Amino acid sequence: MTTRIPRRATRVFYATESTTRTKPDGEVIRCAGREQRSTTFREARKFLDDLDVPGGVTLWTERSQQTSAYADRRADGTWVSLDRLTGNWVELPEQGQA
């Protein structure tokens, strides 16, 4: 599924699947899998929910030219979002309930 990102987009959400790999020495490392760019968090969330995988969503803004953590999908299917005021992760309601 591809999403067209407008040329002048001021915000872009990156949904990235989290996977693990085992190095030859037995160390397990976390790495990125499939990724999708979206113009809304709803599209990014749907991408990871449809894959039914853990992952994260980051947000790039045109004003700051930086990418920051926005939300994470855990292996059990729950979503948490970063509260910018407290720095804590808070659970998000299921999609369609908010």
Side-chain angles (χ1 to χ4, degrees):
M1 176 174 143
T2 59
T3 304
R4 184 182 169 282
I5 305 297
R7 184 177 304 213
R8 301 268 183 223
T10 58
R11 294 167 31 132
V12 178
F13 292 89
Y14 291 87
T16 307
E17 171 191 16
S18 294
T19 60
T20 57
R21 297 220 169 108
T22 306
K23 294 169 87 174
D25 64 0
E27 179 186 0
V28 177
I29 58 170
R30 184 177 168 197
C31 51
R34 293 169 279 195
E35 182 177 275
Q36 176 183 311
R37 295 185 309 161
S38 306
T39 54
T40 65
F41 174 63
R42 180 178 293 222
E43 290 173 351
R45 183 175 182 165
K46 184 177 180 336
F47 173 74
L48 291 175
D49 283 341
D50 288 348
L51 291 175
D52 195 27
V53 294
V57 176
T58 57
L59 172 64
W60 173 86
T61 56
E62 188 241 348
R63 176 177 279 180
S64 69
Q65 294 289 310
Q66 294 182 352
T67 302
S68 58
Y70 192 80
D72 279 336
R73 184 181 194 274
R74 296 183 178 157
D76 63 1
T78 59
W79 280 89
V80 291
S81 179
L82 185 61
D83 182 340
R84 302 261 178 239
L85 296 175
T86 64
N88 296 326
W89 290 90
V90 294
E91 194 163 330
L92 292 175
E94 299 221 6
Q95 194 166 356
Q97 292 182 357

